[in-house]
Amino acid sequence: MPRMRWPEGFMWGTGASATQAEGAAPASDWWEWEQQGRAPVSGDGNGFARSFATDFGLYSGLGLRHHRMSVDWARLEPEEGRRDRSQVARYREILLAAADAGITPWLCLHHFTLPRWFARSGGFANEENRRGHWMRHVDFVADAFSDLVGGWQPVNEPNYYPRIAFGGGPFPPAVDDADTFGRVAEGIHLATAEAALRLRSTGRPVSSIYGLSVPVALDDSAETTVRVRNHLADNWTSWIGLVRDGVLRIRDRPPIDVPHLANVFDMIGFSYYRTTGVRRGEPVPHPSGAPLSAMGYAVSSAGLRLVLSKLREELEDTPLLVAEYGVGVHDDDLRARYLREGLAIVRTAIAEGADIRGFFHWTGVDNYEWMRGYDVPFGLITRDRTVRPSAAVLAAEALG
């Protein structure tokens, strides 16, 4: 039987972030975090700022002709109200180089790190910040770059950010407070949807990037039931209610009715890295016996099927985008196998009627992996720009 062809116009791409590819901006909260010894020093990231033209050429040669990158707010506006026009020019140079290489760029406006001045004034917990500074930034980026981009993925994993920064996680400011968590979760979900609404006015498509996994209960204890319920509430129910129904629900806080923000995305994009097993209320690698990644995840693509099934159940007929799929391992054969299995799951879902528009690999070139520094290789390409054999798995599909 001949292999199923991918849909016409299916997008093959890569994803990256500014801090991870360029290093921390001196005016960012993450740079300060590094200076305090709270995270490894990022330096110049993977060297993207000087090697972008080379990188785009490598991606294009592999058939990966879409690339999501972030423009760093702390570089564009290092002080409140002061725009750095040299950084605008630099990012425009990068976007022009992408076009020269046949790459369609997608822009992200917030990927975990913030200008210090914004963070110190309350960040997304402050409603005035969201309505004022954030939306002015969105307008500025739209005006400065919309002529050079193919699409937008405005905020990276808004369902994940509140937990890693305000729910006991290690990202700045590393606060563990339920009320602050709730206000930040409300703020960043609203900020994401409001940005999407504004960016759609540029005439370019807009996709989300939600970090998704479906929890698997491994026992029937009360602790596991609570953990699974909270996972679904924080990582699914909140944003689904917002983008489908125009109602944002964050844990036990009063719902927020925002009907004008329903259906603001052209595609629901998501990242997938692992399946979350829960035993006696604690997360564990799942399935048991699977090899572990450098970050301790079970290397298994099976959970991707669960995510796609739940998305189709909750958001029937909504176009989907695999906005990040990858694995941090030193064993490139394992990466190749993980890619083949994930692609097979996507292919099957399409054959069953899912409207999946593309597949973006995380990442193109090995980068800075936050608290793990440079110890976790996610790339199809090494930092010295050697293409790994696993890249051939995607190239074979992308180049047909």
Side-chain angles (χ1 to χ4, degrees):
M1 178 179 296
R3 188 173 68 176
M4 184 196 88
R5 295 180 61 85
W6 294 95
E8 184 177 353
F10 193 82
M11 296 180 289
W12 297 99
T14 50
S17 85
T19 299
Q20 292 175 276
E22 300 182 63
S28 70
D29 58 352
W30 193 265
W31 185 89
E32 184 176 56
W33 214 236
E34 293 179 8
Q35 302 308 302
Q36 294 172 357
R38 306 288 292 270
V41 174
S42 57
D44 68 349
N46 62 18
F48 176 74
R50 63 176 181 274
S51 299
F52 56 85
T54 297
D55 295 349
F56 291 145
L58 291 171
Y59 300 158
S60 185
L62 293 169
L64 307 176
R65 298 196 175 112
H66 291 259
H67 179 71
R68 186 245 300 176
M69 56 176 275
S70 56
V71 287
D72 198 322
W73 186 2
R75 295 187 193 275
L76 292 173
E77 191 178 2
E79 300 172 3
E80 180 183 341
R82 182 177 71 82
R83 313 288 184 179
D84 189 333
R85 295 291 172 177
S86 69
Q87 291 296 323
V88 174
R90 186 178 68 87
Y91 279 125
R92 286 187 62 85
E93 179 186 2
I94 292 171
L95 294 170
L96 287 168
D100 288 344
I103 299 290
T104 298
W106 294 66
L107 280 198
C108 177
L109 281 66
H110 172 51
H111 193 123
F112 293 159
T113 66
L114 292 167
R116 282 197 301 279
W117 63 263
F118 182 82
R120 288 173 176 171
S121 63
F124 288 105
N126 183 331
E127 183 176 357
E128 292 182 3
N129 275 355
R130 189 192 89 240
R131 293 180 180 275
H133 296 308
W134 167 251
M135 288 310 299
R136 283 192 289 274
H137 175 61
V138 173
D139 287 339
F140 181 80
V141 171
D143 291 342
F145 303 115
S146 63
D147 60 319
L148 298 178
V149 305
W152 307 95
Q153 297 178 32
V155 176
N156 181 71
E157 299 176 336
N159 58 330
Y160 188 55
Y161 172 75
R163 181 170 69 81
I164 61 175
F166 297 90
F171 281 47
V175 170
D176 191 359
D177 177 79
D179 180 66
T180 306
F181 173 95
R183 288 187 290 114
V184 170
E186 288 176 348
I188 197 165
H189 277 297
L190 292 171
T192 301
E194 288 162 350
L197 185 64
R198 166 64 178 93
L199 294 170
R200 285 185 79 180
S201 70
T202 67
R204 306 292 193 268
V206 181
S207 170
S208 65
I209 320 169
Y210 293 111
L212 299 182
S213 66
V214 175
V216 177
L218 302 177
D219 60 48
D220 60 0
S221 68
E223 295 86 353
T224 291
T225 299
V226 170
R227 184 76 178 231
V228 168
R229 183 181 67 231
N230 288 343
H231 179 105
L232 291 172
D234 291 345
N235 292 288
W236 287 87
T237 305
S238 56
W239 68 265
I240 284 177
L242 175 62
V243 304
R244 185 188 61 199
D245 310 318
V247 180
L248 177 63
R249 295 180 176 87
I250 301 298
R251 293 191 178 180
D252 57 355
R253 299 174 72 84
I256 300 174
D257 292 319
V258 278
H260 67 290
L261 296 180
N263 303 307
V264 291
F265 290 108
D266 297 292
M267 290 169 279
I268 295 299
F270 65 93
S271 63
Y272 170 81
Y273 289 100
R274 59 176 167 175
T275 303
T276 303
V278 183
R279 180 178 290 114
R280 293 186 292 277
E282 295 299 322
V284 296
H286 183 77
S288 62
L292 298 182
S293 75
M295 298 180 74
Y297 303 163
V299 181
S300 171
S301 60
L304 177 60
R305 184 180 294 109
L306 299 178
V307 168
L308 288 170
S309 295
K310 186 167 178 60
L311 284 170
R312 294 186 68 196
E313 175 185 339
E314 297 282 356
L315 301 166
E316 187 177 4
D317 300 325
T318 299
L320 306 176
L321 176 70
V322 182
E324 290 183 24
Y325 180 91
V327 62
V329 292
H330 294 275
D331 182 347
D332 196 53
D333 289 338
L334 181 56
R335 177 181 288 102
R337 187 182 81 191
Y338 184 71
L339 272 171
R340 284 192 290 268
E341 292 173 352
L343 290 170
I345 289 170
V346 174
R347 190 191 300 277
T348 298
I350 292 172
E352 293 172 350
D355 183 4
I356 302 175
R357 301 291 176 88
F359 186 99
F360 285 48
H361 186 267
W362 185 273
T363 182
V365 177
D366 283 342
N367 62 15
Y368 173 79
E369 189 50 44
W370 305 112
M371 305 306 295
R372 295 295 301 271
Y374 292 99
D375 294 341
V376 184
F378 271 95
L380 298 169
I381 301 165
T382 69
R383 287 171 67 198
D384 66 3
R385 274 47 184 185
T386 298
V387 178
R388 290 190 167 104
S390 58
V393 175
L394 277 181
E397 303 294 338
L399 296 172

